[in-house]
Structures are given as structure tokens and as C-alpha cells.
Amino acid sequence: MIYALFDDAGKFHAGRVLSEAESSMQIELDSGKRVKVKAANVLLRFDKPAPAELIAQAQALSTEIDLDLAWEFAPEGEFGFADLARDYFEATAGPEKQAAALLRLFEAPHYFRRMGKGQFRKAPEETVKAALLGIERKKQLAAQIESWAGEIAAGQCPPPVREQLYRILFKPDKNAPEYKAVVEAAKRSQRAPLDLLKEAGAIDSPYQFHWRRFLFETFPQGTGFPALAAPAIKDELPLAAVRAFSIDDSQTTEIDDALSVQGLGSGTVVFGIHIAAPGLAVQPDSPVDKVARERLSTVYMPGWKITMLPDEVVQAYTLIEGRDCPAVSLYATVDETTFEVRAVETRLERVPIAANLRHDKLDEVITEATLAGEAPADYAFAAELAFCWRFAKALKAAREVVRGKPENFNRPDYNFRLEGNVAEPDGSESVQITTRQRGAPLDLIVSEAMILANSRWGGWLAECGVPGIYRSQASLLPGIKVRMGTRPAPHAGMGVAQYTWATSPLRRYVDLVNQWQIIACARHGRTAALAAPFRPKDASLFSIISGFDAAYSAYNDFQHGIERFWTLRWIEQNGVTEIEAAVMKGGLVRAETLPLVFRVPGTEDWPRGARLRARVAGIDLLTLDLHATLAARIEDEPPEAVAEVDDEAEAVGPLTLAIDVNDAPAGDAAA
């Protein structure tokens, strides 16, 4: 009886020969399956032992073949596996030893190159040495992964894993040994990677974890600035005949905007909006511009911020009181009775800043009653602020006619203050959370003035044929989001014909870009398109929009997340056990007195706005989760109207990790 060993796509089989033609054979395997095999793929014929026994003996013998010795024995030219078997074992090597040589040669391509049809050739000595070195390195790497995995599972984090923590969790190289060690440790201990790393001491604190993750993802080179000098403004600017005042929070150092009022009691008032003018000094592609374009915006968080520009540059252009500050000013000529805007004019000038008003110190002093004359107004700029407030209400009412419905300010803004905080927070500070009702008088004055400037300047750019960066919203229908582009279009949410961002050039890069374009219009008028830094269809404008969108979204996401952290810390610090909330959708609820969205099982089918009391069951500062149960439904008061806000803005939930515990085991590194 004749048997044959054959190659089937790199796998070796043996069986009984049933029939043979010139170019093929019919072979029956031990399983009873019959296969047609090309004659060229048949590598060995034998009459004993049986096929299964031959394969078993060959596999056992192949492991005994010393590859270094076999490589020494092998001839320099091309040779067959049977030749090597006779040289290595003995001249009478039978089919078992020949098959063993075939298997061993085939599995060692770093020693022997496969030439096909059972033929091989020795690899060059340099290739063999390099391959052996690589194999040894893989073995050492596998041993290192095994050692690190054991340490992590035992509650100790190796320094290399700690150093790569954020890359492992969020942007992993899945072939890196540090990543494989964490995966192996998670499998071995049957625990989630994040919990395992926390127990092993890789995470100093939840606050530091969130902060350093943000820095890893958005500021991989750190937050420091290169040495930069603020360029001087060379223009000879006229001095404005106004006394301007700004309205900001006490912590604001980048004072971008100020207001002025002239002509009260004359029937015609000139309302001035004055914007800090770094664009008069900083030029595109200059060192300062490159830093601003890389950062694109200031990043805000409770107790700290990462500014778009270094403080020494900001202080050169900020609208600080007591100085005549360079500014791009928009003057609106307003009917004092009807508040009709009869004309607008833009000027490049120096503006005397008489005061920096701080709304957190004045909100309780400057009220609707004092502005309306119903209570004494014992504060600076009382008459000017009263006009600003009446004008702001008129502007808002006009916008709401265009919007088709009033803006809803039934939810407050929340302010966070870290007690005793004078430097970068570490997460251990006590936090205070206070509220400011949206649409408060000083807020309304500033917001309406900025909307007026941004919409009017957007229209002026279009009239001059100069491109800008616009924000538009096609309608107020659900799901219609604000978009950025280079052409003017209506902004339904604002209720204006077009809208730019041009009033915060010290804090947002698109505002600085738009300021350059506005300055060109102020200098050149109808021929500004020939002199503006950015021309129509300029590809760099689209690049700026794309980069800004991505950065601004990342910064906002971080701000929401870190504010959620401090909100959960406040709940812990104050021992809060129950929270009153209103249903949003799908089991999500919004706290009524905190900036917090969380899930309450059992409310999935409740109507939107239904009120409830939730019991705090647990807080995880690492994943930013609040675990809550339903305590009671509140029926005593009707639900308030739902504010026009993005429901997802505060719905920061569990972290999404890029690590996958189903990845290949550490041992594969040595394969």
C-alpha cells in the first residue's frame, strides 16, 4: 500500500494513494475524505508507517533537530529536505526522519528560505544572527510584559506604565508592551482596567486624572509659552472723546470690550462699543499669531484658565482702567426715545478707559429698580447704565420679533469658586457654587451690545466684499445646529441677518481674524478686499474654521466635565443625600439647583419636565458618575418651562476608554 505526504497551502497532510495520473493523485485521508492533489505538491511517498503515525513521529522528531547544527550541516546551494535528513540523522534516514526535517525546515524561515516543492536554501549568516537577536528580544519583551502584568495585578504600577497611562487608556499603541501588560493584568484579575490602575497607584487623584488627560490630548507639549514680546501699535491713533467702562467678572484679565454713552438728554445718543485691538499690532504669521493660532482660544475652568496668549501680551492690549487703550470702536447713533439705530460708524482710535466695573460686585447694587429710577442709583455711570439697559431691552425685543419667540432665561448660570485658590487647583479645594440669573441687567447690557457689534460688523464685511468667519443657524427647529462659514447667513437663534465673532480678540482666534478684516475695511473702505489679510475663497480661512471648531469643542467638553467634577465634589463636601430634579428624556434628569444631569432608573417613561426627588446612592469622581435612585415624585408644583439649551451639554457621563481587554494576550509578542 502506498502513502503520500503533501503540501496544502503550507499545511502538511498524509494519506493513502487511491489512484495516480500524470499530474495529479487521488488521496484518501484518515478521516475518509478523498482529495485531489497536484503531483507537484506531493513531497514524500512511503509504504510504512501509517500516515497518522508518520505525522506524529515526525512532529516529535522535528523538535529535537538543532537548527544551528542543521544550518551548519546544510549545503550552500539549494537542497531538499530528504538530503538534510540524511546529512543530519544518518544516510539511511527513513520517511519519519525525512518528514521531521521537512517540518523543522518549514517552521524556521529565519534559518532556511523556502524555495518551493520541498526545496530550501540556507539564509545568509547575517540574516540568521539578526533573526535570532529579534527572537531573543521578543522573548525578553514577553517576559517584561508578564512581569509588569503581575505587578499591576498585585496592586503596584510599574513606572513605564504610569508614564504611558493616558496613551494606554485613550490613544493606545496596541503593540506597545505597556498596553499589553495592562490588558493581561485585567484579564488575569478579571477587573476593569481603570479600577485596576487606580488600585495600583497609577492615578494620583480623580482631579489630576481629568486634568492630565486633557493636557495629554490637547496640550501634549505643555501649556507654557515661548518667549514673546508684544509688538507695538505703530498707527497714530486719535484719542476718542469718551469715558468708557467695561463690565466683567473680577477674575477677568483679558478685558476685550468696553462701552461708552454720549449725548444723554439731547434726543440723540451715540452708543460706543470699544473692542481691544491686538489686530493693530499682531500680524498674520508673526510669532504671536502662531501661538494664538495653535491654541485658538482661552480654556476656562473653575479656579484656573489656560490663556490663548501669554499675560505679558494680553496686558499690552487689554482695556484696563486708567489708560488710553487702542481699540476698534463701533459707534451707533440711537434715537433716545425710540431706540432706533439711525447710523453706525467704525473707528480705529485710542479710548480712555475710565473704569473696569465688576458685575460680581455690582449685581446686587445695579438692579432693574435702580436702572428704572424706582430706587436710588448710588453708583458710577448710573445715567449711562440706565440708557444702556433700556437700549439693550429694545435690541432684545427687536431680535425676538425676528426669532418668532422670546428667548428663555429660566435657568441660571452657575459660578464656581474654589476657596483659597491662588494657583493651579489640585482637586482638594472646597468649592462654592453660586447662581446668576440669565438676563440680569448687566449681563443683558453686555450681551446685547456684543450682538449689535458682531451683527453690524458682519454686514459691513459683506458690503466691502471682504470675507469673514460667520456663525449661522438656519432655523430654530430641533437638531439644527450653529455652523461656521465664510459667508454671511441668518442666525435664527440670535434673530439677526448675519453674525460674526469679533468682540473677544484676546480670547478667541476667530475674533482676531475677523478683527484684521474689519481693520482693513476701516482703513480702505470699498477697496478693502485688495488689502485684507484674507481674500475671498482663501483656503486658510477654512483651515482656521476647521481647527477652531475642533479645539473649541474639546475645550468646552473639558470645561463641562471639570465643572461636573466640582459639582460632584460639592455634593460630597456638603453631605447632600437628596436632589430635586426635572425629567429630560430617557431616564436622564436635570438637577434644579445644580449644573448636573444624571440618570434615575424608573423615570424613563415620565413626561418631560416632571419633577422628582432623587436619592444619592454613590459618586464616582473618576468616571464622573452620580448613582441615584428615585425617592419620590413631586406633584405640588407644575414643571417649569424647558429652557432653550442643548440637553447634551451637561450630560457628561462615564469615560470612554480606548483599551480593549479582548486584545491579543501578552504571549503573542513572542510569536
Side-chain angles (χ1 to χ4, degrees), residues 123-434:
E125 184 176 0
E126 296 77 13
T127 302
V128 173
K129 288 180 178 179
L132 292 176
L133 183 60
I135 291 171
E136 182 59 30
R137 286 175 178 168
K138 286 185 177 181
K139 288 180 180 178
Q140 293 175 0
L141 193 60
Q144 182 67 83
I145 292 170
E146 178 69 17
S147 174
W148 284 344
E151 290 182 50
I152 296 169
Q156 295 181 335
C157 186
V161 174
R162 176 191 287 269
E163 292 169 5
Q164 295 292 318
L165 174 67
Y166 302 98
R167 185 172 301 280
I168 291 168
L169 293 176
F170 302 108
K171 293 184 178 179
D173 172 3
K174 296 190 176 183
N175 290 317
E178 295 86 357
Y179 176 86
K180 287 179 176 288
V182 174
V183 170
E184 183 66 20
K187 289 179 179 179
R188 186 176 303 176
S189 61
Q190 295 295 299
R191 298 184 61 191
L194 197 59
D195 292 339
L196 194 62
L197 290 166
K198 181 181 178 182
E199 287 288 328
I203 298 171
D204 297 327
S205 72
Y207 181 85
Q208 290 299 320
F209 175 77
H210 298 300
W211 172 233
R212 291 175 185 172
R213 175 200 173 188
F214 172 70
L215 295 180
F216 165 75
E217 292 182 337
T218 54
F219 291 91
Q221 305 303 319
T223 60
F225 288 101
L228 285 175
I233 295 175
K234 299 178 181 179
D235 302 59
E236 290 293 332
L237 301 173
L239 182 64
V242 301
R243 293 179 67 249
F245 55 90
S246 65
I247 304 173
D248 291 282
D249 186 86
S250 293
Q251 296 177 342
T252 300
T253 57
E254 305 149 291
I255 303 175
D256 289 292
D257 54 85
L259 306 175
S260 66
V261 179
Q262 304 171 75
L264 286 175
S266 68
T268 300
V269 173
V270 178
F271 179 66
I273 304 168
H274 313 285
I275 306 301
L280 289 171
V282 177
Q283 298 303 312
D285 296 322
S286 66
V288 173
D289 171 53
K290 289 176 180 177
V291 168
R293 182 164 180 172
E294 182 178 356
R295 297 209 172 184
L296 293 164
S297 173
T298 290
V299 184
Y300 296 96
M301 67 203 81
W304 198 244
K305 64 181 177 181
I306 304 172
T307 57
M308 181 178 77
L309 293 169
D311 187 61
E312 54 269 25
V313 173
V314 170
Q315 293 309 310
Y317 312 115
T318 187
L319 303 183
I320 193 168
E321 66 183 14
R323 288 200 323 212
D324 298 338
C325 299
V328 179
S329 299
L330 179 79
Y331 288 99
T333 303
V334 183
D335 185 294
E336 194 170 3
T337 303
T338 64
F339 300 107
E340 176 191 359
V341 178
R342 295 174 177 170
V344 294
E345 180 187 3
T346 298
R347 300 177 193 166
L348 308 179
E349 58 187 4
R350 288 180 297 124
V351 176
I353 306 299
N356 294 142
L357 305 181
R358 304 298 185 176
H359 63 64
D360 52 313
K361 296 180 178 179
L362 296 172
D363 275 342
E364 296 181 1
V365 177
I366 302 176
T367 64
E368 291 192 12
T370 64
L371 292 168
E374 299 168 358
D378 187 18
Y379 46 78
F381 300 99
E384 290 87 346
L385 287 168
F387 172 81
C388 291
W389 179 61
R390 294 193 300 271
F391 184 40
K393 289 199 299 179
L395 291 172
K396 181 174 183 290
R399 290 192 302 103
E400 288 177 343
V401 171
V402 178
R403 288 180 93 247
K405 60 180 178 179
E407 290 177 312
N408 198 338
F409 290 142
N410 67 317
R411 287 182 50 225
D413 285 324
Y414 292 92
N415 294 329
F416 295 78
R417 188 171 72 84
L418 308 185
E419 293 184 2
N421 171 248
V422 294
E424 180 183 315
D426 62 16
S428 65
E429 296 83 357
S430 293
V431 60
Q432 290 185 352
I433 302 177
T434 57

Side-chain angles (χ1 to χ4, degrees), residues 575-590:
V576 175
T577 58
E578 291 189 343
I579 301 172
E580 292 187 357
V583 171
M584 291 168 56
K585 58 182 178 181
L588 288 176
V589 304
R590 175 181 280 115

